[in-house]
Amino acid sequence: MIKNNIDKIKLELPEHVTLVAVSKTKPIEDLQEAYNGGQRIFGENKIQEMVTKYDALPKDIQWHMIGHLQRNKVKYMAHFVDLIHGVDSFKTLTEINKQAKKHNRVINCLLQAHIAEESTKFGLSFNEIETIIASEEINKLENIKVVGLMGMATFTKDKEQLQKEFSSLNTLFINIKNKYSDINILSMGMSGDYKLAIKCGSTMVRIGSSIFGNRNYLAS
Ligand SMILES: *Cc1c(COP(=O)(O)O)cnc(C)c1O
């Protein structure tokens, strides 16, 4: 079932779009099944849960942290995390840099933009993103590399609204990408909206329930 879902989604994805299988709340067996089906990139939103799964599963998996970051927990994943999507402050970049340095690594990061209407969603304003990327200070952080942007759209079925949010982030992405060669990932799109996100320029989709089925938060 899981393998079939992944195969079906992969057929629809253009070659330049990367699939992150969002496995939060799902048991190890489900991730193993996806792995056996060829999936190598997994996304989790809780650091502790990701560490447990990292320890249990094959080491050629690339782990993406897609959730809101608690700075004091960055140290637990610094030795293996492949890409951190949800960076929403310079302070967090500084902490990731500090922890990456201890392991002699460079950790790739995406800056999270606030594009949704909901104020509960995290993220930086477009201005803040441009300021961080253009700053002198960021060049001093030798153990992190900002490689792109991430956004979560409003939870709505309103296609026009979604398109507006995705397109605005894509415009910012293109502008920045043209100026900075390191920037080449635009992470946007989930189970409900990834097709539209791809039309609006996404290069990385984060898909959970369409692969693993609905999440049961009460049971976890
Ligand atoms: C849970 C989650 C997803 C996946 O959501 P689905 O609707 O299950 O595909 C994608 N991105 C983030 C940041 C998430 O927290």
Side-chain angles (χ1 to χ4, degrees):
M1 233 271 283
I2 290 172
K3 178 180 178 346
N4 288 348
N5 292 341
I6 291 175
D7 288 346
K8 217 179 105 210
I9 291 167
K10 280 207 165 150
L11 278 178
E12 298 164 349
L13 297 185
E15 216 166 294
H16 68 279
V17 177
T18 303
L19 172 63
V20 179
V22 176
S23 47
K24 61 189 186 195
T25 79
K26 297 296 175 182
I28 302 278
E29 303 84 77
D30 287 10
L31 283 77
Q32 184 70 53
E33 196 177 328
Y35 179 89
N36 294 344
Q39 183 63 27
R40 291 294 180 273
I41 306 177
F42 292 88
E44 291 284 335
N45 73 338
K46 297 225 164 66
I47 293 175
Q48 197 50 60
E49 185 177 340
M50 188 170 79
V51 170
T52 305
K53 289 171 172 173
Y54 165 76
D55 287 338
L57 284 158
K59 293 296 171 281
D60 61 338
I61 290 175
Q62 294 169 34
W63 293 96
H64 288 199
M65 175 44 57
I66 62 169
H68 184 66
L69 286 187
Q70 286 171 278
R71 269 195 291 277
N72 60 340
K73 291 191 180 161
V74 169
K75 56 178 175 282
Y76 301 118
M77 63 173 174
H79 57 297
F80 70 91
V81 68
D82 192 70
L83 180 64
I84 301 178
H85 290 233
V87 178
D88 67 354
S89 72
F90 189 78
K91 231 174 150 178
T92 300
L93 278 180
T94 306
E95 174 64 14
I96 297 168
N97 185 70
K98 180 176 147 194
Q99 299 303 333
K101 199 181 183 105
K102 290 184 187 166
H103 299 280
N104 206 10
R105 299 184 69 215
V106 174
I107 296 181
N108 291 328
C109 298
L110 305 179
L111 296 179
Q112 180 169 0
H114 190 275
I115 54 172
E117 282 188 331
E118 297 112 323
S119 58
T120 49
K121 286 194 174 137
F122 295 99
L124 297 153
S125 72
F126 288 10
N127 259 334
E128 288 170 321
I129 287 177
E130 289 183 302
T131 304
I132 288 176
I133 290 181
S135 69
E136 292 270 317
E137 289 81 12
I138 202 168
N139 293 320
K140 294 182 191 141
L141 304 180
E142 292 179 338
N143 294 80
I144 57 113
K145 190 158 124 186
V146 175
V147 293
L149 306 179
M150 179 267 208
M152 274 175 100
T154 302
F155 186 72
T156 175
K157 287 201 160 69
D158 180 348
K159 285 234 159 102
E160 249 173 66
Q161 177 72 25
L162 292 170
Q163 178 151 6
K164 199 177 84 189
E165 294 174 5
F166 286 145
S167 296
S168 70
L169 183 54
N170 186 47
T171 303
L172 176 71
F173 171 67
I174 302 275
N175 277 338
I176 294 176
K177 183 182 155 78
N178 286 339
K179 278 189 250 170
Y180 304 92
S181 59
D182 283 345
I183 304 283
N184 48 52
I185 296 175
L186 179 56
S187 165
M188 59 183 195
M190 317 185 1
S191 292
D193 56 21
Y194 71 91
K195 288 177 194 167
L196 187 57
I198 291 169
K199 279 192 194 131
C200 297
S202 170
T203 72
M204 185 173 274
V205 290
R206 309 174 308 266
I207 301 183
S209 41
S210 291
I211 293 176
F212 297 104
N214 288 330
R215 288 176 293 274
N216 183 352
Y217 285 101
L218 290 174
S220 66

